[in-house]
Amino acid sequence: PGLTSRVGGVLGKADGAAQFTRYTTYATLEIPRSGDATKARSLMEKAEHGCLVAASLRGTRALVAEVVHTP
């Protein structure tokens, strides 16, 4: 089991200056076969929503979460 993630950003103009206007976090969480994928996804969404770093950034945020069972 493990977690991998990456973030992509869109650079645009806001208030006459270049800045990131949108962020998308792509996260994949591996859980055991016996794990609850629905609960895991919910916890990932909750963690992203409460992230202080993400909350401090300007622009819109999106999370693309994937939960996979390990063999």
Side-chain angles (χ1 to χ4, degrees):
L3 172 69
T4 58
S5 65
R6 66 183 174 85
V7 176
V10 174
L11 188 60
K13 282 228 174 200
D15 299 326
Q19 62 181 270
F20 287 101
T21 57
R22 186 174 59 214
Y23 307 88
T24 303
T25 301
Y26 302 90
T28 302
L29 178 64
E30 295 178 355
I31 62 172
R33 281 248 175 249
S34 61
D36 183 339
T38 302
K39 185 173 182 178
R41 182 180 305 279
S42 175
L43 290 171
M44 289 173 68
E45 291 169 355
K46 190 174 187 178
E48 193 278 337
H49 181 73
C51 177
L52 295 176
V53 173
S56 70
L57 301 172
R58 291 185 180 158
T60 58
R61 300 180 348 213
L63 172 65
V64 177
E66 180 181 19
V67 177
V68 295
H69 287 99
T70 57

Short mmCIF file of all heavy atoms in Angstrom, two decimals:
data_model
loop_
_atom_site.label_atom_id
_atom_site.label_comp_id
_atom_site.label_asym_id
_atom_site.label_seq_id
_atom_site.Cartn_x
_atom_site.Cartn_y
_atom_site.Cartn_z
N PRO A 1 0.83 -1.20 0.00
CA PRO A 1 0.00 0.00 0.00
C PRO A 1 0.87 1.26 0.00
O PRO A 1 1.95 1.28 0.56
CB PRO A 1 -0.81 -0.09 1.27
CG PRO A 1 -0.82 -1.55 1.63
CD PRO A 1 0.46 -2.09 1.09
N GLY A 2 0.38 2.29 -0.61
CA GLY A 2 1.11 3.54 -0.67
C GLY A 2 0.29 4.62 -1.32
O GLY A 2 -0.81 4.39 -1.82
N LEU A 3 0.87 5.82 -1.32
CA LEU A 3 0.22 6.98 -1.92
C LEU A 3 1.19 7.65 -2.87
O LEU A 3 2.35 7.88 -2.51
CB LEU A 3 -0.20 7.98 -0.83
CG LEU A 3 -0.73 9.32 -1.30
CD1 LEU A 3 -2.09 9.16 -1.96
CD2 LEU A 3 -0.82 10.30 -0.14
N THR A 4 0.74 7.92 -4.07
CA THR A 4 1.53 8.71 -5.02
C THR A 4 0.68 9.90 -5.43
O THR A 4 -0.55 9.79 -5.51
CB THR A 4 1.93 7.91 -6.27
OG1 THR A 4 0.76 7.41 -6.91
CG2 THR A 4 2.84 6.74 -5.92
N SER A 5 1.33 11.02 -5.66
CA SER A 5 0.58 12.21 -6.06
C SER A 5 1.45 13.12 -6.91
O SER A 5 2.69 13.04 -6.86
CB SER A 5 0.05 12.97 -4.85
OG SER A 5 1.12 13.48 -4.08
N ARG A 6 0.78 13.94 -7.68
CA ARG A 6 1.43 14.99 -8.44
C ARG A 6 0.42 16.11 -8.60
O ARG A 6 -0.79 15.91 -8.46
CB ARG A 6 1.91 14.48 -9.80
CG ARG A 6 0.83 14.06 -10.75
CD ARG A 6 1.39 13.50 -12.07
NE ARG A 6 0.35 12.97 -12.90
CZ ARG A 6 -0.39 13.68 -13.75
NH1 ARG A 6 -0.16 14.97 -13.90
NH2 ARG A 6 -1.34 13.11 -14.47
N VAL A 7 0.93 17.31 -8.86
CA VAL A 7 0.06 18.47 -9.00
C VAL A 7 0.39 19.15 -10.32
O VAL A 7 1.55 19.34 -10.67
CB VAL A 7 0.26 19.47 -7.83
CG1 VAL A 7 -0.59 20.72 -8.04
CG2 VAL A 7 -0.06 18.82 -6.51
N GLY A 8 -0.65 19.52 -11.04
CA GLY A 8 -0.50 20.30 -12.27
C GLY A 8 -1.14 21.65 -12.06
O GLY A 8 -2.13 21.79 -11.35
N GLY A 9 -0.55 22.68 -12.66
CA GLY A 9 -1.08 24.02 -12.51
C GLY A 9 -1.27 24.69 -13.85
O GLY A 9 -0.61 24.35 -14.82
N VAL A 10 -2.18 25.64 -13.89
CA VAL A 10 -2.44 26.43 -15.09
C VAL A 10 -2.00 27.85 -14.79
O VAL A 10 -2.45 28.47 -13.82
CB VAL A 10 -3.94 26.40 -15.47
CG1 VAL A 10 -4.23 27.34 -16.62
CG2 VAL A 10 -4.37 24.99 -15.80
N LEU A 11 -1.11 28.36 -15.62
CA LEU A 11 -0.60 29.71 -15.46
C LEU A 11 -1.46 30.65 -16.30
O LEU A 11 -1.70 30.41 -17.48
CB LEU A 11 0.85 29.78 -15.93
CG LEU A 11 1.61 31.06 -15.67
CD1 LEU A 11 1.67 31.36 -14.18
CD2 LEU A 11 3.01 30.98 -16.26
N GLY A 12 -1.95 31.69 -15.68
CA GLY A 12 -2.80 32.65 -16.37
C GLY A 12 -2.50 34.05 -15.89
O GLY A 12 -1.56 34.28 -15.13
N LYS A 13 -3.33 34.99 -16.31
CA LYS A 13 -3.18 36.38 -15.88
C LYS A 13 -4.30 36.72 -14.91
O LYS A 13 -5.46 36.42 -15.15
CB LYS A 13 -3.24 37.32 -17.08
CG LYS A 13 -1.96 37.36 -17.86
CD LYS A 13 -1.59 38.78 -18.10
CE LYS A 13 -0.22 38.78 -18.78
NZ LYS A 13 0.41 40.05 -18.64
N ALA A 14 -3.94 37.34 -13.83
CA ALA A 14 -4.92 37.82 -12.86
C ALA A 14 -4.40 39.14 -12.31
O ALA A 14 -3.23 39.25 -11.93
CB ALA A 14 -5.11 36.81 -11.73
N ASP A 15 -5.22 40.14 -12.32
CA ASP A 15 -4.83 41.47 -11.86
C ASP A 15 -3.59 41.98 -12.60
O ASP A 15 -2.71 42.61 -12.02
CB ASP A 15 -4.59 41.48 -10.35
CG ASP A 15 -5.83 41.10 -9.56
OD1 ASP A 15 -6.94 41.45 -10.00
OD2 ASP A 15 -5.68 40.46 -8.50
N GLY A 16 -3.50 41.64 -13.90
CA GLY A 16 -2.41 42.13 -14.72
C GLY A 16 -1.08 41.42 -14.52
O GLY A 16 -0.07 41.81 -15.09
N ALA A 17 -1.05 40.39 -13.71
CA ALA A 17 0.20 39.68 -13.44
C ALA A 17 0.02 38.19 -13.73
O ALA A 17 -1.08 37.64 -13.60
CB ALA A 17 0.63 39.87 -11.99
N ALA A 18 1.10 37.54 -14.11
CA ALA A 18 1.05 36.10 -14.34
C ALA A 18 1.03 35.38 -12.99
O ALA A 18 1.81 35.71 -12.10
CB ALA A 18 2.26 35.66 -15.15
N GLN A 19 0.11 34.46 -12.86
CA GLN A 19 0.04 33.65 -11.65
C GLN A 19 -0.73 32.36 -11.95
O GLN A 19 -1.44 32.28 -12.94
CB GLN A 19 -0.59 34.40 -10.48
CG GLN A 19 -2.01 34.82 -10.70
CD GLN A 19 -2.55 35.59 -9.51
OE1 GLN A 19 -3.10 34.99 -8.60
NE2 GLN A 19 -2.39 36.90 -9.52
N PHE A 20 -0.54 31.38 -11.10
CA PHE A 20 -1.28 30.15 -11.28
C PHE A 20 -2.74 30.40 -10.91
O PHE A 20 -3.04 30.94 -9.85
CB PHE A 20 -0.68 29.03 -10.43
CG PHE A 20 0.62 28.52 -10.97
CD1 PHE A 20 1.82 28.94 -10.42
CD2 PHE A 20 0.66 27.66 -12.05
CE1 PHE A 20 3.03 28.49 -10.92
CE2 PHE A 20 1.86 27.20 -12.57
CZ PHE A 20 3.05 27.63 -12.01
N THR A 21 -3.62 30.00 -11.80
CA THR A 21 -5.04 30.25 -11.59
C THR A 21 -5.83 28.99 -11.27
O THR A 21 -6.96 29.06 -10.81
CB THR A 21 -5.67 30.91 -12.84
OG1 THR A 21 -5.44 30.05 -13.97
CG2 THR A 21 -5.06 32.28 -13.09
N ARG A 22 -5.22 27.82 -11.53
CA ARG A 22 -5.91 26.56 -11.26
C ARG A 22 -4.87 25.49 -10.93
O ARG A 22 -3.80 25.45 -11.53
CB ARG A 22 -6.74 26.13 -12.48
CG ARG A 22 -7.59 24.91 -12.21
CD ARG A 22 -8.50 24.59 -13.37
NE ARG A 22 -7.73 24.34 -14.58
CZ ARG A 22 -8.12 24.66 -15.80
NH1 ARG A 22 -9.28 25.24 -15.98
NH2 ARG A 22 -7.38 24.39 -16.84
N TYR A 23 -5.22 24.64 -9.97
CA TYR A 23 -4.36 23.54 -9.54
C TYR A 23 -5.17 22.25 -9.55
O TYR A 23 -6.30 22.24 -9.09
CB TYR A 23 -3.85 23.75 -8.11
CG TYR A 23 -3.18 25.07 -7.89
CD1 TYR A 23 -3.93 26.19 -7.53
CD2 TYR A 23 -1.82 25.20 -8.04
CE1 TYR A 23 -3.32 27.42 -7.33
CE2 TYR A 23 -1.20 26.42 -7.84
CZ TYR A 23 -1.96 27.52 -7.49
OH TYR A 23 -1.34 28.74 -7.30
N THR A 24 -4.57 21.19 -10.05
CA THR A 24 -5.23 19.89 -9.99
C THR A 24 -4.26 18.91 -9.34
O THR A 24 -3.12 18.77 -9.78
CB THR A 24 -5.61 19.38 -11.39
OG1 THR A 24 -6.45 20.35 -12.02
CG2 THR A 24 -6.35 18.06 -11.30
N THR A 25 -4.71 18.30 -8.27
CA THR A 25 -3.92 17.27 -7.59
C THR A 25 -4.41 15.91 -8.05
O THR A 25 -5.60 15.62 -8.00
CB THR A 25 -4.10 17.38 -6.05
OG1 THR A 25 -3.68 18.68 -5.63
CG2 THR A 25 -3.27 16.33 -5.33
N TYR A 26 -3.47 15.12 -8.53
CA TYR A 26 -3.75 13.75 -8.97
C TYR A 26 -3.16 12.82 -7.93
O TYR A 26 -1.95 12.85 -7.70
CB TYR A 26 -3.11 13.48 -10.34
CG TYR A 26 -3.59 14.42 -11.42
CD1 TYR A 26 -2.93 15.61 -11.66
CD2 TYR A 26 -4.71 14.11 -12.17
CE1 TYR A 26 -3.38 16.48 -12.64
CE2 TYR A 26 -5.17 14.97 -13.17
CZ TYR A 26 -4.48 16.16 -13.39
OH TYR A 26 -4.93 17.01 -14.36
N ALA A 27 -3.99 12.06 -7.26
CA ALA A 27 -3.52 11.19 -6.18
C ALA A 27 -4.03 9.77 -6.38
O ALA A 27 -5.21 9.56 -6.70
CB ALA A 27 -3.99 11.72 -4.83
N THR A 28 -3.13 8.81 -6.18
CA THR A 28 -3.50 7.40 -6.25
C THR A 28 -3.12 6.75 -4.93
O THR A 28 -1.98 6.84 -4.50
CB THR A 28 -2.77 6.69 -7.40
OG1 THR A 28 -3.09 7.34 -8.62
CG2 THR A 28 -3.17 5.22 -7.48
N LEU A 29 -4.09 6.15 -4.29
CA LEU A 29 -3.89 5.48 -3.01
C LEU A 29 -4.08 3.99 -3.20
O LEU A 29 -5.12 3.55 -3.72
CB LEU A 29 -4.89 6.00 -1.97
CG LEU A 29 -4.83 5.37 -0.59
CD1 LEU A 29 -3.48 5.66 0.08
CD2 LEU A 29 -5.98 5.88 0.27
N GLU A 30 -3.08 3.22 -2.81
CA GLU A 30 -3.19 1.76 -2.84
C GLU A 30 -3.61 1.28 -1.47
O GLU A 30 -3.02 1.67 -0.47
CB GLU A 30 -1.84 1.14 -3.21
CG GLU A 30 -1.36 1.46 -4.60
CD GLU A 30 -0.01 0.85 -4.89
OE1 GLU A 30 0.60 0.25 -3.99
OE2 GLU A 30 0.45 0.98 -6.03
N ILE A 31 -4.63 0.45 -1.44
CA ILE A 31 -5.11 -0.11 -0.18
C ILE A 31 -5.19 -1.63 -0.32
O ILE A 31 -5.25 -2.16 -1.42
CB ILE A 31 -6.49 0.47 0.22
CG1 ILE A 31 -7.57 0.13 -0.81
CG2 ILE A 31 -6.40 1.98 0.43
CD1 ILE A 31 -8.98 0.51 -0.39
N PRO A 32 -5.18 -2.34 0.81
CA PRO A 32 -5.30 -3.80 0.75
C PRO A 32 -6.64 -4.22 0.16
O PRO A 32 -7.61 -3.45 0.19
CB PRO A 32 -5.21 -4.23 2.22
CG PRO A 32 -4.71 -3.05 2.97
CD PRO A 32 -5.03 -1.84 2.17
N ARG A 33 -6.70 -5.43 -0.35
CA ARG A 33 -7.96 -5.96 -0.92
C ARG A 33 -9.13 -5.83 0.05
O ARG A 33 -10.26 -5.62 -0.37
CB ARG A 33 -7.79 -7.43 -1.30
CG ARG A 33 -7.07 -7.62 -2.58
CD ARG A 33 -8.03 -8.19 -3.63
NE ARG A 33 -7.31 -8.23 -4.88
CZ ARG A 33 -7.60 -7.46 -5.91
NH1 ARG A 33 -8.59 -6.61 -5.84
NH2 ARG A 33 -6.91 -7.54 -7.02
N SER A 34 -8.85 -5.99 1.33
CA SER A 34 -9.91 -5.94 2.33
C SER A 34 -10.31 -4.50 2.69
O SER A 34 -11.25 -4.29 3.44
CB SER A 34 -9.47 -6.68 3.59
OG SER A 34 -8.31 -6.06 4.13
N GLY A 35 -9.61 -3.52 2.13
CA GLY A 35 -9.87 -2.12 2.47
C GLY A 35 -11.15 -1.59 1.85
O GLY A 35 -11.64 -2.09 0.84
N ASP A 36 -11.68 -0.55 2.45
CA ASP A 36 -12.92 0.10 2.01
C ASP A 36 -12.57 1.26 1.08
O ASP A 36 -12.14 2.33 1.54
CB ASP A 36 -13.69 0.59 3.24
CG ASP A 36 -15.03 1.21 2.91
OD1 ASP A 36 -15.25 1.64 1.75
OD2 ASP A 36 -15.87 1.28 3.83
N ALA A 37 -12.74 1.07 -0.23
CA ALA A 37 -12.37 2.08 -1.21
C ALA A 37 -13.19 3.36 -1.07
O ALA A 37 -12.66 4.46 -1.24
CB ALA A 37 -12.51 1.52 -2.63
N THR A 38 -14.45 3.23 -0.73
CA THR A 38 -15.30 4.41 -0.57
C THR A 38 -14.81 5.27 0.59
O THR A 38 -14.70 6.50 0.48
CB THR A 38 -16.77 4.00 -0.34
OG1 THR A 38 -17.20 3.21 -1.46
CG2 THR A 38 -17.67 5.20 -0.19
N LYS A 39 -14.49 4.64 1.70
CA LYS A 39 -13.99 5.37 2.86
C LYS A 39 -12.62 5.98 2.56
O LYS A 39 -12.34 7.13 2.93
CB LYS A 39 -13.89 4.45 4.07
CG LYS A 39 -13.48 5.16 5.34
CD LYS A 39 -13.56 4.26 6.54
CE LYS A 39 -13.19 5.02 7.80
NZ LYS A 39 -13.30 4.20 8.99
N ALA A 40 -11.76 5.24 1.85
CA ALA A 40 -10.43 5.75 1.50
C ALA A 40 -10.55 7.00 0.63
O ALA A 40 -9.87 7.99 0.85
CB ALA A 40 -9.63 4.66 0.79
N ARG A 41 -11.44 6.97 -0.36
CA ARG A 41 -11.63 8.13 -1.23
C ARG A 41 -12.15 9.32 -0.43
O ARG A 41 -11.72 10.45 -0.60
CB ARG A 41 -12.59 7.79 -2.37
CG ARG A 41 -12.79 8.95 -3.34
CD ARG A 41 -13.76 8.59 -4.46
NE ARG A 41 -13.36 7.41 -5.17
CZ ARG A 41 -12.46 7.36 -6.13
NH1 ARG A 41 -11.82 8.45 -6.48
NH2 ARG A 41 -12.17 6.22 -6.74
N SER A 42 -13.09 9.06 0.47
CA SER A 42 -13.64 10.12 1.31
C SER A 42 -12.56 10.76 2.17
O SER A 42 -12.51 11.99 2.31
CB SER A 42 -14.76 9.55 2.18
OG SER A 42 -15.24 10.52 3.08
N LEU A 43 -11.68 9.94 2.72
CA LEU A 43 -10.59 10.48 3.55
C LEU A 43 -9.60 11.28 2.71
O LEU A 43 -9.07 12.31 3.18
CB LEU A 43 -9.89 9.35 4.29
CG LEU A 43 -10.71 8.69 5.40
CD1 LEU A 43 -10.01 7.45 5.93
CD2 LEU A 43 -10.98 9.68 6.53
N MET A 44 -9.34 10.85 1.48
CA MET A 44 -8.46 11.62 0.60
C MET A 44 -9.07 13.00 0.30
O MET A 44 -8.37 14.01 0.33
CB MET A 44 -8.23 10.87 -0.71
CG MET A 44 -7.35 9.65 -0.57
SD MET A 44 -7.25 8.69 -2.09
CE MET A 44 -6.35 9.79 -3.15
N GLU A 45 -10.35 13.04 0.04
CA GLU A 45 -11.03 14.31 -0.24
C GLU A 45 -11.01 15.21 0.99
O GLU A 45 -10.79 16.42 0.87
CB GLU A 45 -12.46 14.04 -0.71
CG GLU A 45 -12.51 13.40 -2.08
CD GLU A 45 -13.89 12.89 -2.47
OE1 GLU A 45 -14.82 12.94 -1.63
OE2 GLU A 45 -14.03 12.42 -3.61
N LYS A 46 -11.22 14.63 2.14
CA LYS A 46 -11.20 15.40 3.39
C LYS A 46 -9.80 15.98 3.64
O LYS A 46 -9.66 17.14 4.04
CB LYS A 46 -11.62 14.50 4.55
CG LYS A 46 -11.86 15.21 5.84
CD LYS A 46 -12.42 14.23 6.88
CE LYS A 46 -12.82 14.96 8.12
NZ LYS A 46 -13.39 14.05 9.13
N ALA A 47 -8.77 15.18 3.40
CA ALA A 47 -7.39 15.65 3.59
C ALA A 47 -7.07 16.79 2.63
O ALA A 47 -6.44 17.78 3.02
CB ALA A 47 -6.42 14.49 3.39
N GLU A 48 -7.49 16.69 1.38
CA GLU A 48 -7.23 17.75 0.41
C GLU A 48 -7.96 19.02 0.81
O GLU A 48 -7.42 20.12 0.72
CB GLU A 48 -7.65 17.30 -0.99
CG GLU A 48 -7.13 18.20 -2.11
CD GLU A 48 -7.97 19.45 -2.35
OE1 GLU A 48 -9.16 19.46 -2.00
OE2 GLU A 48 -7.42 20.41 -2.89
N HIS A 49 -9.18 18.88 1.24
CA HIS A 49 -9.99 20.05 1.63
C HIS A 49 -9.36 20.78 2.82
O HIS A 49 -9.40 22.00 2.89
CB HIS A 49 -11.42 19.62 1.95
CG HIS A 49 -12.30 20.75 2.33
ND1 HIS A 49 -12.76 21.66 1.41
CD2 HIS A 49 -12.80 21.15 3.53
CE1 HIS A 49 -13.50 22.58 2.03
NE2 HIS A 49 -13.54 22.27 3.32
N GLY A 50 -8.77 20.03 3.74
CA GLY A 50 -8.20 20.64 4.94
C GLY A 50 -6.72 20.99 4.83
O GLY A 50 -6.12 21.43 5.80
N CYS A 51 -6.14 20.83 3.65
CA CYS A 51 -4.71 21.09 3.47
C CYS A 51 -4.42 22.59 3.58
O CYS A 51 -4.91 23.39 2.79
CB CYS A 51 -4.25 20.55 2.11
SG CYS A 51 -2.52 20.89 1.76
N LEU A 52 -3.59 22.96 4.53
CA LEU A 52 -3.26 24.37 4.73
C LEU A 52 -2.46 24.95 3.57
O LEU A 52 -2.65 26.11 3.19
CB LEU A 52 -2.49 24.55 6.03
CG LEU A 52 -3.25 24.22 7.31
CD1 LEU A 52 -2.33 24.33 8.52
CD2 LEU A 52 -4.45 25.11 7.47
N VAL A 53 -1.58 24.17 2.99
CA VAL A 53 -0.79 24.65 1.85
C VAL A 53 -1.71 24.94 0.67
O VAL A 53 -1.67 26.02 0.07
CB VAL A 53 0.31 23.65 1.45
CG1 VAL A 53 1.01 24.08 0.19
CG2 VAL A 53 1.31 23.48 2.59
N ALA A 54 -2.56 23.98 0.32
CA ALA A 54 -3.47 24.17 -0.80
C ALA A 54 -4.43 25.34 -0.55
O ALA A 54 -4.72 26.11 -1.46
CB ALA A 54 -4.25 22.89 -1.08
N ALA A 55 -4.90 25.47 0.67
CA ALA A 55 -5.83 26.55 1.00
C ALA A 55 -5.19 27.92 0.90
O ALA A 55 -5.87 28.92 0.69
CB ALA A 55 -6.41 26.33 2.40
N SER A 56 -3.87 27.99 1.03
CA SER A 56 -3.20 29.29 0.99
C SER A 56 -2.92 29.76 -0.43
O SER A 56 -2.53 30.91 -0.64
CB SER A 56 -1.88 29.21 1.77
OG SER A 56 -0.94 28.42 1.07
N LEU A 57 -3.14 28.91 -1.42
CA LEU A 57 -2.87 29.27 -2.81
C LEU A 57 -4.09 29.94 -3.44
O LEU A 57 -5.22 29.58 -3.15
CB LEU A 57 -2.51 28.02 -3.62
CG LEU A 57 -1.29 27.25 -3.14
CD1 LEU A 57 -1.17 25.94 -3.92
CD2 LEU A 57 -0.04 28.08 -3.27
N ARG A 58 -3.82 30.92 -4.31
CA ARG A 58 -4.91 31.54 -5.06
C ARG A 58 -5.27 30.62 -6.21
O ARG A 58 -4.47 29.83 -6.66
CB ARG A 58 -4.47 32.88 -5.60
CG ARG A 58 -4.28 33.90 -4.54
CD ARG A 58 -3.98 35.23 -5.17
NE ARG A 58 -3.81 36.22 -4.12
CZ ARG A 58 -3.16 37.34 -4.27
NH1 ARG A 58 -2.60 37.62 -5.43
NH2 ARG A 58 -3.05 38.19 -3.28
N GLY A 59 -6.46 30.75 -6.70
CA GLY A 59 -6.90 29.92 -7.83
C GLY A 59 -7.81 28.81 -7.36
O GLY A 59 -7.99 28.56 -6.17
N THR A 60 -8.39 28.14 -8.32
CA THR A 60 -9.29 27.04 -8.01
C THR A 60 -8.52 25.74 -7.87
O THR A 60 -7.45 25.57 -8.47
CB THR A 60 -10.37 26.88 -9.11
OG1 THR A 60 -9.72 26.66 -10.36
CG2 THR A 60 -11.25 28.11 -9.19
N ARG A 61 -9.04 24.86 -7.05
CA ARG A 61 -8.40 23.57 -6.79
C ARG A 61 -9.32 22.44 -7.22
O ARG A 61 -10.54 22.55 -7.11
CB ARG A 61 -8.13 23.39 -5.30
CG ARG A 61 -7.25 24.43 -4.72
CD ARG A 61 -6.95 24.28 -3.24
NE ARG A 61 -7.71 23.34 -2.45
CZ ARG A 61 -8.00 23.53 -1.17
NH1 ARG A 61 -7.63 24.63 -0.56
NH2 ARG A 61 -8.65 22.62 -0.51
N ALA A 62 -8.70 21.36 -7.65
CA ALA A 62 -9.46 20.16 -7.99
C ALA A 62 -8.64 18.95 -7.54
O ALA A 62 -7.42 19.00 -7.51
CB ALA A 62 -9.73 20.08 -9.48
N LEU A 63 -9.34 17.90 -7.19
CA LEU A 63 -8.70 16.65 -6.79
C LEU A 63 -9.19 15.54 -7.70
O LEU A 63 -10.39 15.35 -7.86
CB LEU A 63 -9.02 16.30 -5.34
CG LEU A 63 -8.56 14.93 -4.85
CD1 LEU A 63 -7.03 14.84 -4.84
CD2 LEU A 63 -9.13 14.63 -3.46
N VAL A 64 -8.25 14.82 -8.29
CA VAL A 64 -8.57 13.63 -9.07
C VAL A 64 -8.00 12.47 -8.24
O VAL A 64 -6.80 12.25 -8.21
CB VAL A 64 -7.95 13.67 -10.47
CG1 VAL A 64 -8.25 12.38 -11.22
CG2 VAL A 64 -8.47 14.89 -11.24
N ALA A 65 -8.88 11.80 -7.52
CA ALA A 65 -8.47 10.74 -6.60
C ALA A 65 -8.79 9.37 -7.17
O ALA A 65 -9.86 9.15 -7.73
CB ALA A 65 -9.18 10.92 -5.25
N GLU A 66 -7.82 8.48 -7.01
CA GLU A 66 -8.00 7.10 -7.45
C GLU A 66 -7.60 6.18 -6.31
O GLU A 66 -6.57 6.38 -5.67
CB GLU A 66 -7.13 6.81 -8.67
CG GLU A 66 -7.25 5.41 -9.20
CD GLU A 66 -6.35 5.15 -10.39
OE1 GLU A 66 -5.39 5.88 -10.61
OE2 GLU A 66 -6.61 4.15 -11.08
N VAL A 67 -8.45 5.21 -6.04
CA VAL A 67 -8.16 4.22 -5.01
C VAL A 67 -8.06 2.86 -5.71
O VAL A 67 -8.97 2.48 -6.45
CB VAL A 67 -9.26 4.18 -3.92
CG1 VAL A 67 -8.97 3.09 -2.91
CG2 VAL A 67 -9.38 5.54 -3.24
N VAL A 68 -6.95 2.18 -5.50
CA VAL A 68 -6.76 0.86 -6.13
C VAL A 68 -6.44 -0.16 -5.05
O VAL A 68 -5.80 0.15 -4.04
CB VAL A 68 -5.64 0.88 -7.19
CG1 VAL A 68 -6.02 1.77 -8.35
CG2 VAL A 68 -4.33 1.32 -6.61
N HIS A 69 -6.93 -1.36 -5.26
CA HIS A 69 -6.65 -2.46 -4.32
C HIS A 69 -5.36 -3.16 -4.75
O HIS A 69 -5.16 -3.43 -5.93
CB HIS A 69 -7.79 -3.47 -4.29
CG HIS A 69 -8.99 -2.95 -3.57
ND1 HIS A 69 -10.08 -2.41 -4.23
CD2 HIS A 69 -9.28 -2.87 -2.25
CE1 HIS A 69 -10.98 -2.04 -3.34
NE2 HIS A 69 -10.52 -2.30 -2.15
N THR A 70 -4.50 -3.45 -3.79
CA THR A 70 -3.28 -4.20 -4.07
C THR A 70 -3.61 -5.69 -4.13
O THR A 70 -4.56 -6.14 -3.48
CB THR A 70 -2.20 -3.95 -3.01
OG1 THR A 70 -2.71 -4.30 -1.73
CG2 THR A 70 -1.75 -2.50 -3.01
N PRO A 71 -2.86 -6.44 -4.92
CA PRO A 71 -3.15 -7.88 -5.02
C PRO A 71 -2.88 -8.62 -3.71
O PRO A 71 -2.21 -8.19 -2.86
CB PRO A 71 -2.22 -8.37 -6.11
CG PRO A 71 -1.38 -7.23 -6.52
CD PRO A 71 -1.80 -6.02 -5.77
#
